[in-house]
Amino acid sequence: MNETPKTSRRGFLAGAIAAGGATVAAKANAAGDPAITELQDWSVALGEGVDARPYGYPSEYEAHVKRRSVEWLTADPVSSVNFTPLHELDGIITPNGLCFERHHAGIADVDPAKYRLMINGLVDTPLVFTLQDLMRFPRENRVHFLECAANSGMEWRGAQLNGCQFTHGMIHNVMYTGVPLRYLLETAGVKTNGKWIMPEGADASAMTRSIPIEKAMDDCLVAFKMNGEALRPEQGYPVRLVVPGWEGNMWVKWMRRIEVGDQPWHHREETSKYTDLFKDGKARRFTWEMDAKSVITNPSPQSPILHKSGPTVLTGVAWSGRGTIPRVDVSIDGGKNWAEARMSGPSLDKSMHRFYYEFDWDGSPLLLQSRAHDSTGYVQPTKSELRAIRGENSIYHNNGIQTWYVNEKGIAENVEVS
Ligand code: MTE
Ligand code: CO
């Protein structure tokens, strides 16, 4: 028989230890807690053997961690988008199975044995590469974010979607392995009047984009691995174009052809899509680089504060299409006061960065905001600053500061402060 005297729930709380002047853990005391006093199922039976999961997958308790779509947003799942669950992630790498998806004509199912990449147009020698051919060029490994130009697009006119998964989840950050596009273009020999490239996808949308030759020759990758393994079908298996720092629609998936030309092409969707409308009705045809942006992932509407007060960890991500993020500021009072967040993890060019801000919550309502500074000195604007320049007719390139209101119960909501 267990002789330990029964301890009341109150006694337990009173016995909590003080860490840094605040309560974060219960004092070691097994009494009354069956999670300690009783042997659990997993401790008394043998577990699954080594080959039970030849290709591993997450714990069944993590089943809620998944990509989600917004039903009313698009009419058809083959031309739609789902969102990365940013509030469930930490560090800077997005796991492959959680990378948001944006397809214009569904997921192409490409047989790698029949995969071909053609380079034609203004080149000395038009070429066709098989996957094996690509593997014989020197490779590079680089971590980059991909953000859809429409990320946060639904928020232009006001706070709308309740969760950072939906307001900011059209982004992923992955380590790519691939061949610098420059090597392939140099092998084909770009003619002196070759000023633009047009990558084309093998999916039914046959998506094409115009990219200036300077960018193509600079840091674009023809990628076939993500986070060490083959690209996922959703992300363009077997080959996609990586266009570091530039809007997601240029990162052509299932890439089958690159044409070199002397001017930008006119793409089917261009006048209605991926063009930024300004207040005066004028449009900006090309916006390539993604401006610096950040969002607090926890707490957030899908991730409430679960304790009543005391030590609280706030965290989020920040990125810039123009470099690194040396600094993020955090406000818990709607932008009146700012404190510098703590950056943790690698600070890589055109990659996500992770920040933390630990504070002692007094249990009263909060207005949480984060503000990214990038390595060019650019500072993330407020939404009103952005609207003053861009008006409210835009859908694309919304990098305004996000606000979460947290009530005294720890529940968070998407709001705007003026
Ligand atoms: N490439 C092809 N071939 N077909 C597509 O529909 N969608 C583009 C781009 N490349 C698309 C494509 C858009 S708009 C974005 S935002 C990114 O791919 C999304 O990449 P992801 O699905 O890996 O998140
Ligand atoms: Co997109």
Side-chain angles (χ1 to χ4, degrees), residues 100 102 104 146-151 170 247-250 274 396:
F100 86 96
R102 171 78 179 98
H104 290 80
L146 179 166
E147 184 182 15
C148 179
N151 200 19
M170 279 195 233
E247 57 184 21
N249 68 71
M250 307 182 107
Y274 305 115
Y396 300 102

Side-chain angles (χ1 to χ4, degrees), residues 152 154-161 167-168 293 369 380-392 398-404 414-418:
S152 314
M154 285 79 75
E155 305 291 310
W156 263 113
R157 284 156 203 230
Q160 170 131 246
L161 297 171
T167 57
H168 289 74
K293 188 165 166 181
Q369 297 187 335
Q380 185 184 359
T382 63
K383 290 192 179 175
S384 8
E385 283 166 351
L386 210 53
R387 285 191 191 111
I389 303 170
R390 304 259 302 275
E392 292 180 20
N398 179 356
N399 69 321
I401 290 174
Q402 174 66 43
T403 311
W404 305 126
N414 182 4
V415 299
E416 277 196 24
V417 291
S418 48

Side-chain angles (χ1 to χ4, degrees), residues 291-303:
D291 289 320
K293 188 165 166 181
S294 67
V295 66
I296 293 169
T297 54
N298 316 82
S300 64
Q302 296 158 289
S303 174

Side-chain angles (χ1 to χ4, degrees), residues 161-190:
L161 297 171
N162 224 16
C164 66
Q165 177 164 20
F166 307 111
T167 57
H168 289 74
M170 279 195 233
I171 187 165
H172 48 64
N173 200 58
V174 160
M175 175 175 283
Y176 295 96
T177 307
V179 175
L181 175 56
R182 179 165 58 89
Y183 297 164
L184 306 184
L185 291 172
E186 281 170 354
T187 305
V190 175

Side-chain angles (χ1 to χ4, degrees), residues 99-105 146-149 172 200-203 205 207 234-235 240 248-254 274:
C99 287
F100 86 96
E101 304 166 64
R102 171 78 179 98
H103 318 306
H104 290 80
L146 179 166
E147 184 182 15
C148 179
H172 48 64
E200 179 185 78
D203 52 330
S205 79
M207 226 191 73
E234 303 93 300
Q235 265 67 47
R240 101 174 294 167
N249 68 71
M250 307 182 107
W251 298 48
V252 169
K253 304 191 274 191
W254 314 288
Y274 305 115

Side-chain angles (χ1 to χ4, degrees), residues 14 46 70 77 82 132 159-160 171 193 204 208 219 231 236 245 247 265 269 276 326 350 361 366 407 415:
L46 292 174
V70 173
N82 61 19
Q132 266 61 49
Q160 170 131 246
I171 187 165
N193 58 340
T208 57
D219 59 356
L231 291 180
E247 57 184 21
W265 287 261
E269 344 170 39
D276 290 317
K350 305 177 182 89
W361 185 35
L366 304 165
N407 71 14
V415 299

